[in-house]
Amino acid sequence: MASTRTKRSPQMPNTDGATANISNARAWTMLACALIAAMTTTCATAGVAYVIPELHRAHAMSLSSAATLAAIPTIGLTLTIIAWGAALDRFGERRVLLVSLLITLAGTVATLIAAAVGAGFTTLAAGLLIGGLGAGAANGASGRIVVGWFPASQRGTAMGIRQMAQPLGIAVCALTMPVLAATAGLVAAFAVPVVVTTVGLIAVVFGIVDPPLERATGHPGAAANPYRASSFLQRVHAVSVLLVIPQSMLWTFVPAWLIVGHGWSPLSAGILVTATQVVGAVGRIVAGRISDVWGSRMRPIRAIAVAAGATTALLALADWLNSPLAAAVMVLASISSVADNGLAFTAIAEFAGGSWSGRALGVQNTAQYVTTAASTPVLGALIQAAGYPAAFAVSAIAPLIAVGLVPKDATPRISETPVR
């Protein structure tokens, strides 16, 4: 379905009165606001993983049940993310983000209230589900903002910065939620996603302007279904699904691995995970910059897949041997497992074009979140049955399979001039 948004020339005003030609400083400021908005998705969907030790130890919840609870926000997000993408193609980024974040805020507040009244699994799950349902627009919208307001020679770098939202959101949750849960209870821990979502909503209100369609580049005939043009998008989706498995394993279970399995304090574990995520965020920027310099999104992804498989396999071996280097190897595996996301997002948005990028990014996120939601309880059960080394080893297989599926770049050189 072709977009019904009005096609504008670069000099025409946007619907909110802003001109299509914005200053470079304004573009980077908007990128910062988009990053904050995207952090809300991470905190709303991944934050509960950081109270798994408290649920397991103080609330008598099995590791498998706690892992299932951690997957529920992702299930909610998965149910609506393609619909949010279609809404982005039709109505634009700003309006959809505002509605999405209001729903996310309602869900995070409901979860906090459920924890405050001592509610059980079902009530907590309901609040987490609502938060997940609202969280599906931020990733796609912020990606479209990057592609819409930055030229191709800067997009990989800008998208790498935008993709910092995920590791930075994880870092915020890891640094605060385990400690708050252990010292002040679940209510204090669940306040963190509420605060982050509120800040994200404010950033959208004051900082986001819809890019004109002409800047959302793509191949000629972008209004046509890009999935029929070639298998490029399908292969990028498949590679991203495989690469998200070790990422999900590490993000969900490393706090419990450190705290329960290796006797780390919640504070020490939170500091290590936070430092890892910050370095991982820088790694995404570096990967994006490399893709800009090389004029390729796919060649760096292939190298990242090799690194992710190798380091996760090495982590399985180190943990099996009870090596004191296991934590250091975990840092390397975590960094390599997150480096590809910005490159895939950029390639998808560039190939799909402004009329389809919302749906294409929705498909990308849906595939990744379905994989995360499905693999998290399975990995939790595998850990209970066979231990962490077995789960790390199984997770290492996926990125090695992905290496052979990475497609060639859609064009020999990424186009600098928007095609419309």
Side-chain angles (χ1 to χ4, degrees):
M1 180 179 67
S3 171
T4 59
R5 293 169 65 186
T6 303
K7 186 173 181 179
R8 297 180 292 265
S9 71
Q11 299 298 329
M12 288 180 65
N14 288 313
T15 55
D16 61 0
T19 59
N21 284 340
I22 63 173
S23 68
N24 191 54
R26 179 65 192 279
W28 288 99
T29 300
M30 203 179 313
L31 172 61
C33 293
L35 184 152
I36 296 169
M39 284 179 63
T40 65
T41 296
T42 301
C43 291
T45 57
V48 66
Y50 294 92
V51 299
I52 286 178
E54 183 69 11
L55 291 169
H56 184 54
R57 293 189 307 189
H59 294 265
M61 189 177 292
S62 70
L63 182 59
S64 180
S65 296
T68 301
L69 193 66
I72 285 174
T74 302
I75 294 172
L77 184 151
T78 302
L79 292 173
T80 57
I81 195 165
I82 294 179
W84 283 122
L88 287 167
D89 289 334
R90 183 178 179 87
F91 299 112
E93 293 75 19
R94 180 182 168 84
R95 283 183 288 177
V96 173
L97 272 174
L98 290 174
V99 174
S100 173
L101 290 179
L102 285 171
I103 296 173
T104 303
L105 182 60
T108 56
V109 170
T111 303
L112 185 149
I113 293 172
V117 300
F121 180 96
T122 301
T123 307
L124 282 171
L128 292 167
L129 180 65
I130 294 170
L133 290 171
N139 283 339
S142 55
R144 285 166 56 96
I145 288 166
V146 169
V147 172
W149 284 121
F150 287 86
S153 60
Q154 296 179 356
R155 262 185 225 133
T157 306
M159 190 70 82
I161 294 172
R162 207 298 293 163
Q163 288 289 332
M164 288 175 64
Q166 199 170 32
L168 289 180
I170 292 292
V172 168
C173 292
L175 189 62
T176 59
M177 293 184 72
V179 175
L180 289 172
T183 59
L186 288 177
V187 176
F190 282 128
V192 173
V194 174
V195 172
V196 173
T197 304
T198 301
V199 174
L201 185 60
I202 293 170
V204 171
V205 170
F206 292 101
I208 297 298
V209 177
D210 285 351
L213 287 177
E214 291 77 5
R215 294 291 297 275
T217 67
H219 291 274
N225 187 338
Y227 288 93
R228 297 175 181 173
S230 73
S231 63
F232 178 81
L233 290 177
Q234 291 90 327
R235 292 182 67 173
V236 174
H237 294 328
V239 168
S240 297
V241 161
L242 290 167
L243 290 177
V244 85
I245 292 174
Q247 176 181 309
S248 174
M249 169 68 197
L250 293 166
W251 282 7
T252 302
F253 293 104
V254 159
W257 176 66
L258 292 171
I259 296 169
V260 178
H262 291 268
W264 287 47
S265 70
L267 178 60
S268 297
I271 290 173
L272 179 62
V273 172
T274 299
T276 300
Q277 294 299 326
V278 170
V279 177
V282 175
R284 291 187 177 196
I285 300 174
V286 172
R289 184 56 189 161
I290 289 172
S291 79
D292 288 338
V293 173
W294 287 1
S296 169
R297 312 299 183 203
M298 296 298 107
R299 285 167 56 202
I301 288 180
R302 189 175 293 109
I304 289 165
V306 172
T311 54
T312 306
L314 185 60
L315 174 59
L317 178 62
D319 196 36
W320 181 62
L321 295 174
N322 200 27
S323 169
L325 298 177
V329 177
M330 180 277 296
V331 172
L332 294 177
S334 297
I335 293 169
S336 61
S337 71
V338 303
D340 69 290
N341 285 15
L343 302 177
F345 250 61
T346 306
I348 290 167
E350 287 176 329
F351 187 86
S355 298
W356 271 87
S357 60
R359 280 162 286 185
L361 292 173
V363 171
Q364 168 79 356
N365 278 321
T366 297
Q368 289 185 303
Y369 283 122
V370 165
T371 303
T372 299
S375 64
T376 297
V378 172
L379 291 169
L382 179 60
I383 291 168
Q384 281 193 304
Y388 282 99
F392 290 138
V394 169
S395 300
I397 297 171
L400 297 178
I401 296 172
V403 174
L405 294 177
V406 178
K408 294 181 180 179
D409 286 286
T411 57
R413 177 77 189 178
I414 299 165
S415 174
E416 177 69 33
T417 303
V419 178
R420 221 14 156 192

